[in-house]
Amino acid sequence: MIGGGQLARMTHQAAIALGQTLRVLASGPDESAAQVTPDVVIGSHTDLDALRQAAAGASALTFDHEHVPTEHLEKLVAEGVTVNPPPQALIHAQDKLLMRRKLHGLGAPVPRFAEVTSVADVEEFVRQIDGPVVIKTVRGGYDGKGVVMADDLAAAREVVAGYLADGVPVLAEERVAMRRELAALVARSPFGQGAAWPVVETVQRDGICVEAYAPAPGLSDELGSAAQELGLRLANELGVVGVLAVELFETVDGRLLVNELAMRPHNSGHWTMDGAVTSQFEQHLRAVLDYPLGDTSAIAPAAVMANVLGAPQTPTMSMDERLHHLFARIPDAKVHLYGKGERPGRKLGHVNIIGADMDELRERAVRAAHWLSHGEWTDGWDEHAGK
């Protein structure tokens, strides 16, 4: 697996159960996955020799991020390495402009967009849509990075001029009037078997996913099925092998628009570790290794995932002690920590809680995640007094 972050760490957990060894290409021995797998190659994902070393003797090569240069992957394929998802699919998760053009050509619903190579281009686009725009870097960017909201033409001009002056390619999109964000998580095997989990609602704060609700509350069967079918169709059309996350906007008038694609396990699918028959991590391995795909059914009526994000000030109480008090108060909370040092806004882990009442689950999951990150209860609970 190229990349040593938390996605690789959790994939390693799934690999153990399948009798597999997950070799990880990590940038350093302290990365999340490098801490837990015995087979680690230290190197950069942009170094072809490091990639070759990671792939040597492996059944397949896969990713926990999309940033490996396409030309390197094509060389590995030419040398006989099985790369899943293949580079001709992965490029659509690396290049947002290419992705938009491909999806538009496939008839998939996307926001209006335009390539921007000059300030005049964004001026023309703003005139066309007559509304606020979003400026995105064509490559790179995640968790809100490389995405800038421009409320008016003056702001759009300034943002574009800054990027272009730095030699960064950008595109412009209309800012969608949306009700909420959804995610359709699917998987596809090399011979085309597909599977889809229930569609989830995701909550973003400062460009970072903070919560996910499975299934998306109040989503009609018709729109849920349409989102799943869209995900499966795109996985097939693009030739994806592995997990594909299709991030969607649900518009105020009830339409679906594709926002982003990720061809790997995804934050919106962390709930599957405790809330589905087959987790996204096991499923990704099944697909990459050409096993039959697993059952994606939910095992409870509702599941909530809340990310544990580093607090502005690191608590004096150790994480181990915070875990102790969390489990004493919320014993059904399932905690997944990533082995990362605490710093503001950093994804340190996540909490899953499953049950029947989505509102009640959300309240407890968010409270649990806040406690783990801040060392304080949102309702003023005294962990020593028990009230």
Side-chain angles (χ1 to χ4, degrees):
M1 194 167 217
I2 305 306
Q6 64 263 24
L7 300 179
R9 182 185 179 105
M10 290 181 278
T11 304
H12 174 66
Q13 293 174 261
I16 293 170
L18 299 180
Q20 298 289 337
T21 298
L22 187 75
R23 179 182 299 149
V24 171
L25 176 63
S27 61
D30 59 340
E31 278 203 280
S32 293
Q35 298 172 23
V36 297
T37 179
D39 196 352
V40 182
V41 174
I42 303 299
S44 171
H45 62 271
T46 61
D47 182 342
L48 180 57
D49 288 336
L51 293 168
R52 285 185 173 125
Q53 186 179 350
S59 301
L61 183 146
T62 191
F63 314 92
D64 94 334
H65 62 72
E66 292 96 349
H67 306 310
V68 182
T70 307
E71 59 271 22
H72 288 358
L73 296 178
E74 289 172 342
K75 286 179 182 177
L76 292 177
V77 171
E79 293 167 8
V81 176
T82 299
V83 177
N84 285 327
Q88 64 268 26
L90 188 66
I91 187 67
H92 298 96
Q94 297 174 320
D95 187 309
K96 295 181 178 67
L97 183 60
L98 183 69
M99 179 265 288
R100 281 282 180 259
R101 286 171 169 162
K102 180 68 172 180
L103 296 189
H104 180 71
L106 293 173
V110 295
R112 289 178 289 177
F113 68 96
E115 181 179 12
V116 175
T117 59
S118 67
V119 172
D121 288 340
V122 79
E123 290 174 341
E124 174 61 23
F125 184 68
V126 170
R127 279 193 291 270
Q128 285 179 6
I129 68 167
D130 191 25
V133 299
V134 182
I135 308 300
K136 294 183 176 182
T137 56
V138 171
R139 283 180 171 263
Y142 62 95
D143 286 346
K145 299 178 178 68
V147 178
V148 181
M149 304 291 181
D151 293 327
D152 53 34
L153 180 55
R157 283 195 192 106
E158 182 180 356
V159 172
V160 166
Y163 275 127
L164 295 181
D166 292 336
V168 178
V170 293
L171 72 154
E173 294 181 358
E174 65 176 321
R175 194 184 307 178
V176 175
M178 66 173 179
R179 179 186 172 208
R180 57 180 172 176
E181 294 192 52
L182 304 173
L185 195 73
V186 303
R188 181 180 180 273
S189 73
F191 66 88
Q193 183 190 9
W197 286 271
V199 175
V200 305
E201 177 181 349
T202 61
V203 178
Q204 317 291 321
R205 188 179 303 131
D206 299 326
I208 298 175
C209 177
V210 293
E211 295 154 32
Y213 313 139
L219 186 67
S220 69
D221 291 343
E222 180 182 9
L223 208 58
S225 294
Q228 289 177 314
E229 289 167 7
L230 176 61
L232 291 168
R233 180 168 78 87
L234 292 181
N236 191 58
E237 295 275 11
L238 298 176
V240 174
V241 174
V243 166
L244 169 68
V246 182
E247 298 179 57
L248 299 160
F249 297 133
E250 181 186 356
T251 66
V252 293
D253 58 356
R255 295 178 298 132
L256 295 174
L257 295 175
V258 177
N259 178 28
E260 303 280 359
L261 300 178
M263 296 181 191
R264 51 171 170 76
H266 190 255
N267 205 158
S268 66
H270 287 352
W271 70 273
T272 64
M273 298 176 75
D274 303 295
V277 175
T278 307
S279 79
Q280 65 166 341
F281 300 102
E282 178 183 336
Q283 193 80 297
H284 187 72
L285 288 173
R286 288 197 189 204
V288 165
L289 296 171
D290 201 9
Y291 293 163
L293 299 182
D295 185 349
T296 50
S297 301
I299 62 174
V304 173
M305 184 282 308
N307 272 331
V308 179
L309 302 175
Q313 297 292 328
T314 300
T316 55
M317 184 186 296
S318 70
M319 181 62 80
D320 182 66
E321 188 175 354
R322 279 174 264 165
L323 275 173
H324 177 99
H325 290 299
L326 172 64
F327 290 148
R329 187 178 184 192
I330 311 177
D332 59 331
K334 305 295 287 185
V335 177
H336 303 271
L337 295 177
Y338 305 154
K340 295 181 176 181
E342 296 184 59
R343 67 169 184 246
R346 192 181 201 188
K347 289 180 180 177
L348 306 176
H350 67 272
V351 177
N352 289 334
I353 303 185
I354 65 173
D357 185 324
M358 184 71 78
D359 291 336
E360 185 263 343
L361 295 177
R362 179 191 180 279
E363 181 181 2
R364 293 197 297 130
V366 171
R367 179 174 295 152
H370 185 88
W371 164 256
L372 287 177
S373 61
H374 290 71
E376 61 185 24
W377 295 106
T378 54
D379 60 352
W381 175 269
D382 185 333
E383 64 274 7
H384 297 290
K387 63 181 179 180

